[in-house]
Every structure is written in C-alpha cells, then in structure tokens.
Amino acid sequence: MYPIFFFFLMIRRPPRSTLSSSSAASDVYKRQVSTQSTGGELGGAMSCINVTDVQVLNNPAMFTDSLQFEISFECIAPLKEDLEWKMTYVGSADDDSHDQELESVLVGPVEMGLNRFLFQGDAPNPALIPRDDVLGVTVVLITCSYREKEFIRIGYYIQNEYDEATRAHYDEHPELETNITLVHRKIVHDAPRVTRFHISWDDEPTSPQQPQGLLPQETPVDMGNPAMAPHTAQGEVPQMGMQMGMELDQREQASEVVGMEVDI
C-alpha cells in the first residue's frame, strides 16, 4: 500500500484584464460529439489533469449564501502554467446574457500527484436574473482551462424555492415581490453532468479543441424521469424540470451545431 500525499496549492484571482466572458454556460446547450456521461465517476479519459472528486459543501443553504465546492484532482504530468477554474451560474435557460461568473481563480503551481482545494463563489446577483427565473430549476457550472483551453465542465442542477409556509403565503398573495432572503437553494450533488474536451498540453502540437469521449458507464440525468429529477421538500417534481429542458433545446437550435453535447 503506497502512501497518498495531498499538495497545498496557491489560489489567486487572475488579472481581470486577462479574462474573457465565459462561454461555458452558453456552449453547454450545444450538441457536441461525445458519449453521454454521468453522475458519480469523474475520472476518465487520458488527460494531464483528472478530476477525481467534487464535494458540494454548504448544501442545502439559503440563496444568498456562498457556493462551495471541494475539488480533488490528479496531475499525471508536469505543467508549466497554472489552471484556471471558473464558476458560472445560469440565470436563464433561453438567454445567456444572464449568465453570471461567480468566481474565477488561478490554481498553481500544480504538483504531480493528488491535489485538493476549496473553490468558493459568492451567491449570484438576483437583480441580474429575470424575475420568472429566480425560483425553480437552474444550473451551476464548474469549468477548468489550461492555457485558455477548457478541458472539463461539470454541471449541477440547482433547485431554488421557498419553504412550505412561505410558498403558501405567496400563493395567496401573488402580487408580492420575490423576497430573495427567504429563498432556499439545494444543489443536486449526486447527479453531476460531466463533459471533457481534448486539448493540447505543454508538449503536444496545437490542434483544434474537440469534445472528448466520456466514461461509457456514466449515465446522464433525465429531467423527464421523476426518479432522477430534483424534487421539492414535498417530493414533487419541480414544475420547471421539463420546461427548462425544452427551453434549453430551443437555445441549442439557435447556436451553431457542433456534434452532440452532454446536457447539464
């Protein structure tokens, strides 16, 4: 039995001048050439970086609380530059202008072996989310890039809702404005959706970025399947489940098709 070592990583925010608007949330709705992959096993095809585990912390929580993820990954080859991790909140299924980048950090230097760090982002700004999309089902995306090339994208469904008593009160008074301080957030932590991309690393020739096949044993979450969809406290499938899937399909059709994608 070999000992297992975890390395401490330096985490810092990149200069804002070097950042470009994240396309992860909008690209996630395109169809890309890849097999569909799943919820439990994150390790997969050959890559210099293999994400081995993501733990969703601070969950469930209030909408205004920060989002926290403990990310573990394995580095199997020396890297000359840092990794850039981004956290993106999808504010609307049919309009990517409402996507919010909650956090962006550079992680490094990355040592070969197992690494772990805490990735935390502020709650999204509710003022930037359409009123009808504040409550219900949405998505948070975690992406990682190397040399500005994204190689993995992990998505989680989020259910935002009032508790039973507050929902009953709002049902009786629909004219009331949404009180964001009363909204509860639940991340469906056991059903992540993973998409990997083949990229050129340090010593590989430059090639177009293409989606990379995923583990065949992984199976996607089916929002049309009540057993797999996120549930409310009363055990009912959220009203937005199927509706959001249809809206995302419409959003896909508005984009240039690049094969077939793993939906998040």
Side-chain angles (χ1 to χ4, degrees):
M1 176 70 98
Y2 294 97
I4 298 176
F5 298 96
F6 283 93
F7 296 96
F8 292 97
L9 300 169
M10 181 179 294
I11 302 174
R12 63 191 186 279
R13 290 184 174 87
R16 288 300 172 184
S17 60
T18 66
L19 293 178
S20 59
S21 58
S22 174
S23 62
S26 57
D27 286 349
V28 78
Y29 305 118
K30 295 178 183 177
R31 299 291 181 185
Q32 301 165 346
V33 180
S34 64
T35 54
Q36 298 200 336
S37 128
T38 159
E41 301 294 330
L42 289 172
M46 178 62 68
S47 170
C48 288
I49 297 294
N50 292 322
V51 178
T52 57
D53 186 49
V54 177
Q55 294 293 323
V56 181
L57 308 179
N58 194 27
N59 181 56
M62 302 304 292
F63 182 93
T64 53
D65 293 339
S66 62
L67 289 85
Q68 300 176 10
F69 301 87
E70 183 182 78
I71 300 176
S72 301
F73 63 90
E74 180 183 18
C75 179
I76 64 174
L79 296 179
K80 298 177 182 179
E81 299 185 18
D82 296 338
L83 301 174
E84 182 173 10
W85 293 84
K86 293 183 180 182
M87 186 186 307
T88 303
Y89 184 90
V90 178
S92 175
D94 54 5
D95 187 351
D96 59 11
S97 67
H98 296 292
D99 295 348
Q100 297 184 46
E101 186 176 290
L102 305 182
E103 186 57 284
S104 176
V105 297
L106 294 175
V107 175
V110 178
E111 300 286 347
M112 290 183 61
L114 298 178
N115 299 267
R116 179 185 299 162
F117 73 102
L118 177 65
F119 193 22
Q120 176 172 309
D122 293 334
N125 182 353
L128 302 180
I129 303 174
R131 178 180 177 181
D132 293 340
D133 292 325
V134 173
L135 299 177
V137 179
T138 188
V139 174
V140 63
L141 300 170
I142 298 174
T143 63
C144 190
S145 301
Y146 185 69
R147 290 186 166 179
E148 300 184 349
K149 294 293 186 181
E150 180 184 335
F151 62 88
I152 190 167
R153 177 185 308 159
I154 307 169
Y156 291 90
Y157 281 112
I158 293 179
Q159 173 72 25
N160 296 316
E161 62 183 353
Y162 291 124
D163 60 29
E164 185 177 358
T166 304
R167 182 167 57 251
H169 178 70
Y170 272 81
D171 288 342
E172 294 176 1
H173 304 279
E175 73 281 359
L176 294 177
E177 292 290 331
T178 300
N179 187 342
I180 202 66
T181 63
L182 299 179
V183 176
H184 295 256
R185 179 189 72 224
K186 180 179 181 181
I187 300 175
V188 186
H189 64 89
D190 57 350
R193 304 299 301 278
V194 183
T195 304
R196 296 184 185 86
F197 302 90
H198 175 74
I199 67 168
S200 298
W201 298 86
D202 287 322
D203 299 321
E204 297 179 0
T206 302
S207 61
Q209 187 176 18
Q210 296 291 339
Q212 180 171 323
L214 305 177
L215 292 179
Q217 67 267 28
E218 296 180 326
T219 54
V221 175
D222 181 1
M223 286 300 291
N225 182 349
M228 297 296 291
H231 288 69
T232 65
Q234 290 70 39
E236 298 176 352
V237 178
Q239 295 290 330
M240 281 189 61
M242 290 298 294
Q243 178 182 353
M244 185 175 186
M246 294 173 63
E247 290 174 347
L248 300 191
D249 287 340
Q250 294 173 358
R251 186 164 164 183
E252 293 163 2
Q253 294 172 5
S255 306
E256 179 181 0
V257 176
V258 186
M260 185 179 69
E261 174 186 79
V262 179
D263 294 332
I264 289 181

